[in-house]
Amino acid sequence: MARYYKYKTADDLIQDAQQLGHSISLSDDFSPLFQSISIGHKTAGNRMAIQPMEGCDGTNEGVPDELTYRRYERFGAGGAKLIWGEATAITPEGRMNPRQLMINDHTAYSLEKMYEEARVHHRKEFSTDSDLIIGIQLTHSGRYSFQKPLIATHDPISDPLTINKSTGKILDDSYPVLSDDELKQIEDQYVQAAILSAKIGMDFIDLKQCHRYLLSELLAAKNRPGLYGGSLENRTRLIRNIVTRIKEEVPDLIIGTRINVYDGVPYHSSEKDSVGEPRPHDLPIQVAFGTNPDDHLVEEMEEPIHLAKNMVDWGVKLMNISMGNPYANPHLIRPAEYAPVD
């Protein structure tokens, strides 16, 4: 029988948790949310944030459309002092869907206008935007690029679930992996996108390392040979190079990242009911960041913590922690009654 999360009061949530054997404590004091906080060299006026969730309502050319503009106007008027802009592809072949925003010389003016409208509406409601921080999430969709998958490594569990839309076939061992030279080109594209982001007035950029898109998949690419696979040093080479170069090219641009600290394994609906269960897989698990290779239910945080400390040293000022994959194990990201439609 389906359950729906329709809590009317905090007590409803507490009681439901108790029935499941969990004890939670909720406070009525919301004052901490309204305290300012320093982010890099800027200060956000409160601790509420708009999360980077895309609307998939841009144009085929990658510019904002009517609904996109309206959404960001509402974000600006909403009162949160951190607006973490949605996924914006750094290259056409890296777009997740044909309506995803994209940043390049052609789209820059429209993106600048959209984010400026968010500031305008914020000023209308709150008199000033001096304590408002706005950023843009830069992404390369990798395995989930809509034109065709661009994979960092072969994944024995995910490959059979990945369809090459240009051929309609699932991936097999013969499907090409992005070469080291191609990853170097993608590094250049990230840096150019960051430079352009600064030119259109972004306070920060997010280098997207979550949900098994390209930079996220690289973190798990223990079975990849060459400069970008195997050891943690190699698997973090691309993100390290990107961060270092951006710090050199645009030192005033704050760098953030939304990052998976745990991947887990793909799930599917059981034959008996709609309850998800892990897909069959061999042990040890070859491609899963922050995951015990002998038990997917056990987090293994040594590498994620090590990487987080390194990113602070490299100059990253914002981290947005996530996990899982919305196409494979969406229950890890958010409670939901059904998986995303795609």
Side-chain angles (χ1 to χ4, degrees):
M1 181 176 179
R3 288 294 310 276
Y4 295 90
Y5 301 97
K6 296 181 178 178
Y7 301 116
K8 302 298 184 181
T9 68
D11 285 340
D12 291 343
L13 176 59
I14 292 172
Q15 292 173 12
D16 207 0
Q18 289 175 341
Q19 291 179 7
L20 295 172
H22 303 297
S23 176
I24 60 175
S25 176
L26 300 177
S27 173
D28 293 328
D29 179 12
F30 296 111
S31 60
L33 293 176
F34 296 95
Q35 297 174 5
S36 62
I37 185 171
S38 296
I39 300 174
H41 59 278
K42 294 183 175 291
T43 299
N46 61 41
R47 302 190 179 211
M48 290 181 281
I50 301 295
Q51 287 274 28
M53 187 66 189
E54 61 188 295
C56 303
D57 49 18
T59 70
N60 289 333
E61 291 74 34
V63 302
D65 210 343
E66 178 182 359
L67 293 177
T68 328
Y69 280 110
R70 187 181 71 176
R71 186 166 66 257
Y72 279 84
E73 291 170 2
R74 291 175 173 178
F75 287 166
K81 294 295 186 176
L82 178 68
I83 298 179
W84 198 303
E86 67 191 74
T88 304
I90 61 169
T91 180
E93 58 270 20
R95 296 172 82 188
M96 187 271 289
N97 67 75
R99 303 298 293 273
Q100 186 173 51
L101 299 181
M102 182 166 53
I103 184 166
N104 54 36
D105 290 336
H106 173 69
T107 66
Y109 171 77
S110 297
L111 291 173
E112 182 177 22
K113 179 183 175 183
M114 181 184 75
Y115 284 108
E116 178 56 29
E117 283 300 308
R119 291 191 177 279
V120 168
H121 281 73
H122 194 84
R123 290 195 295 269
K124 286 180 179 178
E125 293 291 331
F126 307 102
S127 301
T128 181
D129 66 339
S130 62
D131 57 353
L132 174 66
I133 298 178
I134 297 182
I136 187 172
Q137 185 178 72
L138 302 179
T139 187
H140 188 297
S141 296
R143 179 176 292 271
Y144 296 107
S145 296
F146 84 94
Q147 294 179 358
K148 66 175 183 179
L150 298 169
I151 62 174
T153 191
H154 280 289
D155 183 341
I157 312 177
S158 296
D159 280 9
L161 308 176
T162 306
I163 299 174
N164 182 354
K165 293 180 181 178
S166 63
T167 64
K169 298 179 180 179
I170 63 172
L171 303 194
D172 58 25
D173 292 342
S174 67
Y175 193 81
V177 171
L178 288 167
S179 69
D180 287 1
D181 285 341
E182 287 173 317
L183 291 179
K184 291 175 184 176
Q185 293 173 6
I186 290 171
E187 175 187 318
D188 293 337
Q189 291 167 342
Y190 265 106
V191 175
Q192 290 304 311
I195 293 171
L196 194 51
S197 299
K199 288 181 179 179
I200 66 172
M202 293 295 96
D203 297 312
F204 74 95
I205 51 106
D206 163 17
L207 302 170
K208 188 174 185 179
Q209 296 185 87
C210 61
H211 307 162
R212 296 308 292 266
Y213 297 113
L214 180 61
L215 293 181
S216 174
E217 185 164 82
L218 269 176
L219 295 179
K222 297 177 183 178
N223 60 344
R224 178 189 171 101
L227 292 173
Y228 297 94
S231 68
L232 182 62
E233 180 180 3
N234 282 355
R235 286 180 276 130
T236 58
R237 185 181 304 279
L238 186 59
I239 185 63
R240 181 170 65 249
N241 289 351
I242 292 170
V243 171
T244 301
R245 289 181 58 188
I246 291 173
K247 289 294 294 181
E248 293 172 351
E249 295 279 353
V250 274
D252 289 336
L253 183 64
I254 297 170
I255 300 176
T257 185
R258 191 173 195 203
I259 182 171
N260 261 26
V261 295
Y262 168 79
D263 289 340
V265 299
Y267 274 58
H268 63 162
S269 294
S270 65
E271 295 181 357
K272 296 178 296 183
D273 50 41
S274 61
V275 176
E277 60 184 20
R279 288 188 176 272
H281 55 274
D282 295 329
L283 298 177
I285 301 166
Q286 297 183 42
V287 186
F289 189 60
T291 307
N292 187 308
D294 297 315
D295 185 348
H296 72 92
L297 293 176
V298 177
E299 301 110 341
E300 200 165 81
M301 290 292 104
E302 181 179 352
E303 286 193 344
I305 290 172
H306 185 75
L307 174 57
K309 290 178 178 179
N310 280 346
M311 287 194 296
V312 171
D313 293 338
W314 302 336
V316 173
K317 301 298 183 182
L318 273 171
M319 294 186 203
N320 187 326
I321 303 303
S322 190
M323 59 185 181
N325 179 335
Y327 313 110
N329 45 22
H331 60 283
L332 294 175
I333 304 171
R334 61 184 183 275
E337 299 300 333
Y338 48 85
V341 293
D342 56 350

